[in-house]
Amino acid sequence: MHIPDGYLGPQTYVVLDAAIVPVWAIAAAKVKSTLKARQVPLMALGAAFSFVIMMFNVPVIGGSTGHAVGATLIAILLGPWAAVLSVSIALVVQALLFGDGGITAIGANCFNMAVVMPFVGYYVYRLIAGNTDGLRRRVISSGIAAYVSIVVAAIFAGVEFGLQPLLAHTAAGQPLYAPYPLSVAVPAMAVEHLLFFGWVEALATMGVVAALGRSDSALLEMKPAARPLRWLWAAFAGLVLLTPIGVLAPGTAWGEWGAEEMKARLGFVPEGLAKVGGLWTAAIPDYAPAFVKNPLLGYLVAAIVGSVIVVGVTWGVAALVAKRENDDESSAAAA
Amino acid sequence: MCERDIRPADLGGGRLRPSLARRTAESVGRHVSEVLENEDLATADGLLQRIDPRAKLLAILLFSVTASLLRSPWLLAAMFAIALALAAASAVSPLSFARKVWGSAGLLAVLLAVPAATRLVTPGPVLVPLGALSLSTPGVLGAVTLVLRVVASAGTALLIVWTMRWSDLLGALTRLKVPDVIVATLAMTQKQIVSLMRTTQQIHLARESRTIAEGSVAENRDWVTGRMAFVVRKSIKTADDVYDAMLARGFSGSMCLVARVQGGRRDWAYLAAAAATAAALLGIDRAMLR
Amino acid sequence: MTAAEPNACRTPDFVLAGVRQEYRRGFPSLDGIDLAIGCGEHVVIAGANGSGKSTLLKMLDGLLFPSAGTIAAFGADLTEDAFEDPGFRREFRSRVGFVFQDADVQLFCSDAFEELAFGPLQLGLPEEEVRRRVDDVARNLRIEHLLDRPPYTLSGGEKKRVSIGAVLTMQPHVLLLDEPTNALDPRSQVWLLEVLDEWKRLGNTVVIATHDLSVAEEIADRMVVLSEDHRVVADGTPAEVLAMRDLLLRVNLIHEHAHRHGGVTHMHGHDHSGHGHEHVHG
């Protein structure tokens, strides 16, 4: 899932690089308030084990093995904010120490693997595991959380890839960056992770949680669930807004297209996209204004609806977890 | 336990696929030696090694962005050629450099780009007629551009990473006003990565040395995840200890580094040259579009 | 050696009164410790694994604070609050150096030079002074050739040398060492004892936590024994303490079958005349 440099155009990586900075700042503030100066060694070690865990070959089935990302595991162990920092540092070190993973794409990679994945994973885990002390339930919850989180992260990566042919291509239709439209990139990423890497992630996470649960259950102590995280949602919302702006303003990066060319460009639609767009136009009544039938708009609406669903579900889960904790506290107080 | 250090290969199974433990140990070992070789490469006498790491850090950003903005495959190829020449001038074997770049990032890009050259993915006039799988002109151009862009970005980044000591990189970050807490964390992360990778390699070698027959997939997986848990435990314990060790030596929340590489006018001249190269590439690129 | 001026020694370096430390509620790692460590003393804290000697050392270094009781250093109370004061922290850290058992833990910088420079830089010394101290210590410890090497390229013995160097550049008055001879090859052990002899000659204080009794004989002039229930059970000269065979057996420092003090193993490869060595043969 590591996106190297060259696949994402500037409209995408600038947005994601810019979006990741405030997320890091918030994460650093959150972590600092809980860990104080101890954050330096703990984040460094968290990053180091995040890095090293990615190097283990996890046997899945037959002779096949795969590498896990470990972001959900780290979120379960250190809490989601600490996981944001640990996994991000691991990715940055990977880029700067081994030249792997890209410089401009750091924001995209961190966003997928160090923000989306630990948060989705953490809240799915908390939702299913609740406050149980039963190791079995925790192990199973961690597996489901790992599976769901990596699939969601992969879909995000697929969307980032899939936006590229829309955002940047020459007048002749030559794509400048990742060439596959959303209709290919998203299912490809999703299927790959649903069928294989999701299982790697789930089996690895379950194995580690089980092993730690047997020996050091203190490490699995539930980290307090954050209240629904306004800032993170603001960042999500900002991204959802920024992405369409990037789509609508593809010429600005080059500064070469006038209104005429822009129209010509917007008229160009890769075949795959045309299908998505077709679905959209089919769903729109005939009397709607012409611009609403634009397949690009259809795609945009789909992207926004998709993001809203992801954000909404995660938010709901977070609220549920927080509420349940409140209830537990009050019932504990009552007792 | 009675350990006799028998490996499958010794039992006449030489053509067997190397065991899981051996494969992991070897790949981790390669990463460790890469870190150690980088140290040698970065202290060798060469053009890029003599440049202030700050200038190089800025150059890495500059060239990554430039590679992402160019549209002409020719200029992307030229960028990679420049990187090759700089490698040769910096005690980096151009052959091993090219092999590394094309073998990892390049190969992946080729595999990804080939299907996109077909008319199925990228419609347009036919360039190579292959029936349903005919290649379109924009498709082929797009595929070539993608591969060259990936290689040009990965090449410039790798070249600079290879010619810069990690400690100098951290010093450069400090002097570029990156907050100390980030630099301190990066410093510690790299050191702990090496230490944990060594542990991981040892674990897998120890496993390999007493494995005669590989167990079932589930057994292997239990073993692997158990070792991952061990690495997690060791990390958390070490984090506490390292923090104490830092406090004991007066750590007060900020890291200080002594600047041992002094930047001079020459370094800024190099940076200016890099900026001029990038600007020239972009200028030519835009001119070619008209 | 990079030693400070001979000390005025107006107060004992450390005074512990009724110190108890719990790592979990109800589980003490130290209990009822009353102990004073004088200026210029050379004390070995001996105890079996888990007796609390590392904990004691960390408390002397202000890394852990008592759950009950008080601990004072150089006449001032050591509390978490006291360390919030940058002036106090700086003063205390510059006077007390701690060599950790695991050199891998102690070496957290990107190369040996940075390691040696870390402490003085944290003390806020000017760069010139930092470089001078690093050069002096590196020369004295014969580790100049290691300075630009990252810690992960060093051998075990070299790591120990660098971690001691990293403490000595702070020119402390008190040196705390946790199991310093563990995992050291014989040559490095001899080297370490020479360094400590030199340290002793300069009138500085040393506190060593160890279960290696030969260290006590070699360099200590006082020996404190911790029992497995985390209390001080003996305190005297090494000669006196090492004579208490039953006690040492009880606290799991010696074993029936180990005749440590019948045939003492000497690690020094050179002459010690004039250092006031006493060898006890039980």
Side-chain angles (χ1 to χ4, degrees):
Chain A
M1 205 190 311
H2 289 64
I3 304 176
D5 272 345
Y7 290 84
L8 302 182
Q11 297 98 322
T12 313
Y13 74 67
V14 167
V15 168
L16 289 168
D17 286 341
I20 202 75
V21 173
V23 178
W24 281 341
I26 298 161
K30 294 266 179 195
V31 169
K32 191 171 186 181
S33 68
T34 50
L35 296 177
K36 305 247 167 61
R38 198 174 284 268
Q39 62 168 322
V40 171
L42 195 58
M43 288 305 96
L45 268 300
F49 82 65
S50 156
F51 184 100
V52 172
I53 274 176
M54 291 184 204
M55 304 181 85
F56 278 79
N57 279 301
V58 183
V60 182
I61 189 164
S64 64
T65 62
H67 298 278
V69 175
T72 297
L73 173 67
I74 292 168
I76 292 171
L77 294 175
L78 303 180
W81 289 111
V84 168
L85 293 185
S86 295
V87 180
S88 296
I89 296 165
L91 293 170
V92 169
V93 170
Q94 214 160 24
L96 292 179
L97 187 63
F98 294 102
D100 286 347
I103 307 287
T104 57
I106 279 178
N109 284 322
C110 287
F111 186 76
N112 301 338
M113 284 182 278
V115 179
V116 173
M117 201 174 155
F119 270 100
V120 172
Y122 182 76
Y123 282 112
V124 171
Y125 173 72
R126 291 304 310 264
L127 183 70
I128 305 174
N131 287 319
T132 181
D133 284 328
L135 183 57
R136 201 182 148 81
R137 181 160 159 200
R138 287 186 172 202
V139 169
I140 292 170
S141 312
S142 73
I144 297 171
Y147 185 87
V148 171
S149 67
I150 199 167
V151 170
V152 172
I155 291 173
F156 270 85
V159 170
E160 288 149 24
F161 280 131
L163 281 174
Q164 300 314 310
L166 280 170
L167 292 173
H169 50 74
T170 63
Q174 172 210 325
L176 286 167
Y177 304 100
Y180 299 98
L182 282 161
S183 58
V184 176
V186 173
M189 289 298 286
V191 167
E192 189 183 29
H193 286 79
L194 281 167
L195 292 184
F196 186 71
F197 289 105
W199 294 102
V200 175
E201 199 67 34
L203 291 168
T205 307
M206 287 166 77
V208 175
V209 169
L212 290 177
R214 281 192 296 269
S215 57
D216 303 68
S217 51
L219 287 178
L220 293 180
E221 197 176 292
M222 292 290 180
K223 302 289 171 294
R227 307 281 167 233
L229 311 147
R230 259 173 299 149
W231 284 104
L232 190 72
W233 306 128
F236 265 112
L239 271 177
V240 172
L241 287 176
L242 281 171
T243 310
I245 291 170
V247 174
L248 292 175
T252 50
W254 321 111
E256 286 155 16
W257 290 288
E260 288 296 302
E261 282 133 301
M262 181 83 97
K263 195 177 162 203
R265 283 169 49 77
L266 288 176
F268 161 86
V269 180
E271 262 175 67
L273 181 64
K275 288 187 199 119
V276 179
L279 285 178
W280 167 254
T281 40
I284 300 292
D286 285 343
Y287 51 80
F291 76 89
V292 177
K293 291 186 192 167
N294 187 320
L296 184 63
L297 188 65
Y299 146 68
L300 273 182
V301 171
I304 292 171
V305 168
S307 308
V308 166
I309 290 173
V310 171
V311 170
V313 167
T314 318
W315 196 336
V317 170
L320 213 61
V321 171
K323 180 172 180 295
R324 194 185 286 180
E325 268 194 0
N326 277 348
D327 292 351
D328 287 350
E329 275 166 29
S330 45
S331 61
Chain B
M1 188 180 288
C2 161
E3 291 172 45
R4 295 175 55 200
D5 201 17
I6 298 175
R7 301 197 174 93
D10 302 331
L11 296 170
R15 269 164 300 171
L16 280 177
R17 201 153 112 90
S19 76
L20 179 68
R22 162 161 298 230
R23 273 181 289 146
T24 308
E26 280 173 0
S27 96
V28 175
R30 265 197 305 280
H31 276 82
V32 175
S33 45
E34 207 175 301
V35 175
L36 299 181
E37 280 161 22
N38 274 11
E39 191 68 24
D40 292 340
L41 213 49
T43 47
D45 187 28
L47 175 67
L48 289 173
Q49 285 87 344
R50 284 196 291 266
I51 300 177
D52 185 334
R54 272 179 303 176
K56 276 190 283 192
L57 258 187
L58 295 175
I60 212 177
L61 279 179
L62 186 68
F63 282 117
S64 298
V65 171
T66 306
S68 78
L69 291 176
L70 292 177
R71 314 187 68 195
S72 153
W74 296 108
L75 292 175
L76 287 165
M79 251 187 96
F80 186 70
I82 295 173
L84 270 183
L86 285 174
S90 308
V92 176
S93 143
L95 192 68
S96 67
F97 174 72
R99 199 183 296 144
K100 166 84 183 172
V101 174
W102 279 97
S104 53
L107 186 65
L108 185 69
V110 169
L111 291 177
L112 259 160
V114 168
T118 62
R119 298 189 66 211
L120 287 176
V121 178
T122 314
V126 175
L127 183 70
V128 184
L130 290 169
L133 293 176
S134 293
L135 305 183
S136 72
T137 311
V140 170
L141 267 177
V144 170
T145 311
L146 175 71
V147 172
L148 288 171
R149 191 189 304 285
V150 166
V151 167
S153 328
T156 42
L158 188 69
L159 185 60
I160 291 174
V161 164
W162 271 6
T163 54
M164 180 156 53
R165 297 178 67 207
W166 184 252
S167 51
D168 292 340
L169 174 113
L170 297 174
L173 289 175
T174 304
R175 289 193 293 152
L176 290 170
K177 307 283 179 230
V178 172
D180 292 333
V181 58
I182 295 177
V183 179
T185 311
L186 285 173
M188 212 172 288
T189 302
Q190 187 251 12
K191 197 206 149 235
Q192 295 302 336
I193 282 174
V194 175
S195 151
L196 288 183
M197 284 200 303
R198 279 185 172 155
T199 307
T200 306
Q201 189 188 11
Q202 296 301 324
I203 288 170
H204 284 88
L205 282 177
R207 159 88 165 180
E208 171 75 5
S209 76
R210 40 171 203 266
T211 301
I212 293 172
E214 283 214 51
S216 73
V217 171
E219 279 166 14
N220 276 332
R221 189 165 56 229
D222 279 350
W223 181 83
V224 168
T225 54
R227 295 308 92 191
M228 287 165 93
F230 169 80
V231 169
V232 167
R233 275 201 296 274
K234 188 179 152 94
S235 307
I236 290 174
K237 164 90 173 64
T238 310
D240 289 343
D241 293 347
V242 168
Y243 180 62
D244 280 348
M246 292 172 72
L247 284 185
R249 272 156 63 204
F251 178 66
S252 51
S254 71
M255 291 285 282
C256 320
L257 296 165
V258 188
R260 274 180 296 157
V261 188
Q262 294 297 335
R265 212 173 293 162
R266 199 184 57 185
D267 298 309
W268 299 114
Y270 280 120
L271 187 59
T277 312
L281 285 168
L282 284 172
I284 299 171
D285 192 58
R286 291 301 170 264
M288 284 169 75
L289 285 174
R290 291 201 184 96
Chain C
M1 185 71 37
T2 53
E5 303 296 306
N7 281 285
C9 291
R10 268 178 244 102
T11 54
D13 283 352
F14 297 99
V15 180
L16 288 80
V19 166
R20 179 180 167 91
Q21 165 69 33
E22 296 182 341
Y23 61 92
R24 230 167 70 200
R25 194 179 303 231
F27 293 84
S29 49
L30 284 176
D31 201 5
I33 306 287
D34 294 303
L35 188 67
I37 293 174
C39 175
E41 266 195 302
H42 301 263
V43 184
V44 159
I45 314 272
N49 288 332
S51 59
K53 55 190 192 303
S54 292
T55 305
L56 180 55
L57 228 48
K58 283 186 177 172
M59 293 181 81
L60 294 179
D61 200 37
L63 296 172
L64 280 177
F65 300 96
S67 319
T70 59
I71 174 166
F74 317 112
D77 271 350
L78 288 189
T79 59
E80 241 168 325
D81 288 345
F83 278 91
E84 296 289 315
D85 171 14
F88 178 82
R89 191 168 56 210
R90 184 178 181 285
E91 177 65 20
F92 181 83
R93 295 292 173 214
S94 69
R95 289 171 84 167
V96 183
F98 192 157
V99 179
F100 284 72
Q101 177 179 354
D102 182 355
D104 267 328
V105 163
Q106 180 152 12
L107 303 180
F108 47 77
C109 296
S110 47
D111 63 28
F113 181 96
E114 299 286 355
E115 289 297 344
L116 267 63
F118 181 91
L121 284 171
Q122 288 289 336
L123 296 180
L125 296 176
E127 240 179 81
E128 288 298 298
E129 171 69 8
V130 173
R131 280 171 204 278
R132 202 183 55 71
R133 284 194 183 188
V134 171
D135 290 344
D136 284 355
V137 169
R139 197 169 46 247
N140 282 327
L141 299 185
R142 302 193 297 275
I143 53 173
E144 292 126 305
H145 59 293
L146 305 177
L147 281 185
D148 63 351
R149 298 252 305 270
Y152 48 79
T153 63
L154 304 177
S155 73
E158 288 171 336
K159 279 182 190 164
K160 189 56 106 186
R161 288 172 193 229
V162 172
S163 50
I164 290 176
V167 169
L168 293 185
T169 48
M170 299 178 77
Q171 302 190 342
H173 158 62
V174 180
L175 201 53
L176 308 170
L177 299 107
D178 194 0
E179 298 287 3
T181 54
N182 255 20
L184 277 195
D185 57 83
R187 195 185 304 143
S188 298
Q189 292 202 11
V190 171
W191 171 88
L192 175 69
L193 292 174
E194 283 173 7
V195 168
L196 293 177
D197 267 341
E198 178 75 15
W199 190 258
K200 187 171 184 172
R201 205 173 50 73
L202 291 161
N204 292 315
T205 308
V206 180
V207 182
I208 298 176
T210 186
H211 57 238
D212 178 356
L213 296 182
S214 61
V215 173
E217 305 180 288
E218 294 280 355
I219 88 137
D221 43 40
R222 178 175 168 200
M223 191 168 165
V224 174
V225 178
L226 291 178
S227 63
E228 287 181 296
D229 61 353
H230 321 292
R231 293 167 177 277
V232 174
V233 288
D235 186 348
T237 65
E240 290 164 1
V241 174
L242 290 172
M244 301 188 232
R245 259 188 88 76
D246 287 346
L247 178 112
L248 296 178
L249 271 171
R250 187 152 47 78
V251 300
N252 197 17
L253 270 169
I254 57 172
H255 190 268
E256 292 281 8
H257 301 299
H259 302 284
R260 264 194 177 281
H261 307 289
V264 178
T265 47
H266 294 283
M267 288 182 295
H268 278 214
H270 63 283
D271 183 28
H272 279 292
S273 52
H275 284 278
H277 259 270
E278 266 182 288
H279 294 165
V280 185
H281 299 271

